[in-house]
Amino acid sequence: MTQENSAIVRRFAEEVITQGQTERTVEFVWEDVVEQVPLPGQGPGLEGVKDIIRAFRTGFPDLVFSVLEQIAEGEKVVSRFEWAGTHQGEFFGVPPTGRQVRVWGVVIDRLEKGRIKDTRILMDTMGLMTQLGVIPSPGA
């Protein structure tokens, strides 16, 4: 079960996030999924997840989401990830900068019957905003 859950999370990252197949989110995520740490403006459930993925893909159309490491136990999968992309569209109110970014994070997913039931994403948002030039880098 733990290896199956890890594979499901990896497929979600590759097929939905990196490849942008947002319409397939329902194959990996329950309608009433709970985001324990929602991003600003993120709505509830499956539609909230899809909206956030669209926002990332709009802001960074070349986004590549890579799972670097995973630990799975029972129904939970912890993934250390990194995503990279070029800021080519508006993202959370920030106009396109053309800057390339690389952002790290950790996500904890709990699966039920092969789909994500709740999730908690912890991401270096401060680093992202610094790379976009929204927040001045230390010593600048």
Side-chain angles (χ1 to χ4, degrees):
M1 179 174 158
T2 57
Q3 287 183 343
E4 289 173 19
N5 286 344
S6 291
I8 290 165
V9 170
R10 282 182 181 273
R11 282 187 50 227
F12 173 72
E14 175 59 28
E15 297 168 21
V16 175
I17 301 173
T18 295
Q19 294 176 15
Q21 298 178 38
T22 312
E23 71 285 351
R24 295 194 48 219
T25 305
V26 71
E27 296 174 31
F28 300 94
V29 177
W30 288 99
E31 288 280 339
D32 62 348
V33 65
V34 174
E35 172 57 67
Q36 301 291 343
V37 185
L39 290 165
Q42 182 175 353
L46 176 64
E47 289 307 312
V49 171
K50 288 163 75 173
D51 288 345
I52 288 299
I53 293 168
R54 284 187 204 103
F56 273 86
R57 301 270 332 144
T58 297
F60 304 90
D62 61 347
L63 183 144
V64 174
F65 189 99
S66 303
V67 175
L68 304 175
E69 182 173 16
Q70 277 185 327
I71 299 170
E73 185 174 312
E75 61 190 9
K76 290 191 177 179
V77 178
V78 178
S79 305
R80 183 174 67 83
F81 66 84
E82 180 177 88
W83 66 267
T86 309
H87 186 210
Q88 298 175 27
E90 184 174 314
F91 181 71
F92 288 108
V94 179
T97 63
R99 294 181 181 198
Q100 293 184 344
V101 300
R102 185 169 299 280
V103 182
W104 63 266
V106 174
V107 63
I108 303 168
D109 293 309
R110 185 177 66 81
L111 287 82
E112 280 184 9
K113 298 178 184 172
R115 288 197 281 168
I116 299 168
K117 185 67 171 180
D118 65 66
T119 185
R120 176 178 288 119
I121 187 166
L122 308 166
M123 186 173 60
D124 182 20
T125 307
M126 185 78 123
L128 169 60
M129 292 299 144
T130 301
Q131 290 177 67
L132 293 177
V134 175
I135 298 171
S137 55

